Amino acid sequence: MDTTSSFAPNVTAPRQPDLAPSTGTKARSKRKWSLAVVLVLVALLGSLAGTVLVARAGDRVSVLGIARDVQAGQKITDQDLTVVSFAEDPGLSPVSAAQRSSVVGQIAAVDLRRGGLLTRSQLAVGGGLGDDEQIVGIEVKRGYAPRNELRPGDKVAAVLLPAQGTSSATSGSKTSTQGTDLIPVTVKSLSSPDASGSMVVNVAVAPADGPRLATMAAAKQVALIRQPREGN
């Protein structure tokens, strides 16, 4: 009797190799994550921009604007002014809307144009007229006033000129400043020269000299000499 046991060979089934994770799946996951990050950054930037705009809008102040044209030398009325919202700018210094009442009645030192902002430099020095001053407008021709040298506040000597064909000096005598008729005035405002070089200069003068100066100015017999400025 054959007692030898017969066993079937223990054949182990071959092990299936582990499958590597799909690179395509990883790439898609990375793209989705990158897109999500970009969307978050865009949302944050948009929110930051909106915050900045709101903050800048909060820095706006109310200032005075010019509602209609005003010529140099004219009084500024309440109807000439308007209130506008203005973003603060260190390079500009418009007049605050709170000072509107103090501006009304002052003299425009230069021509004011509708739509512009009003600044202190556009107002005549000293504000409105004093009780002891008269204002005379003098139209001076080219060569009868220093070009580009006059400005509001300047002390000026108004020289009364003789009529054409006459002489202020006697025959055979020398002309001297002692025989020159001068009236001290102060420039309040002036216009820009026109095509011929003429301009209008509004001056403050003592009441005793106002009528005579106005008469000579109407006859175009006035020349202006700027006096030395204080501190120069």
Side-chain angles (χ1 to χ4, degrees), residues 110-121:
V110 296
D111 291 340
L112 305 179
R113 299 302 178 193
R114 178 182 178 183
L117 297 178
L118 182 67
T119 63
R120 282 291 173 188
S121 62

Side-chain angles (χ1 to χ4, degrees), residues 66 69-73 108-113 122 190-192:
I66 302 169
D69 292 349
V70 180
Q71 293 183 350
V110 296
D111 291 340
L112 305 179
R113 299 302 178 193
Q122 296 172 320
L190 64 160
S191 67
S192 301

Side-chain angles (χ1 to χ4, degrees), residues 133-206:
E133 290 181 325
Q134 291 182 344
I135 295 294
V136 175
I138 304 173
E139 182 179 359
V140 291
K141 298 181 292 185
R142 181 191 296 272
Y144 283 67
R147 187 175 179 84
N148 300 327
E149 285 293 332
L150 294 179
R151 66 190 186 196
D154 279 344
K155 302 297 183 182
V156 174
V159 182
L160 305 185
L161 305 174
Q164 292 184 355
T166 65
S167 175
S168 59
T170 58
S171 178
S173 65
K174 294 182 179 179
T175 303
S176 66
T177 55
Q178 293 180 348
T180 304
D181 201 355
L182 305 177
I183 297 178
V185 299
T186 301
V187 176
K188 282 294 183 180
S189 61
L190 64 160
S191 67
S192 301
D194 60 18
S196 67
S198 298
M199 63 179 179
V200 175
V201 182
N202 297 303
V203 300
V205 60

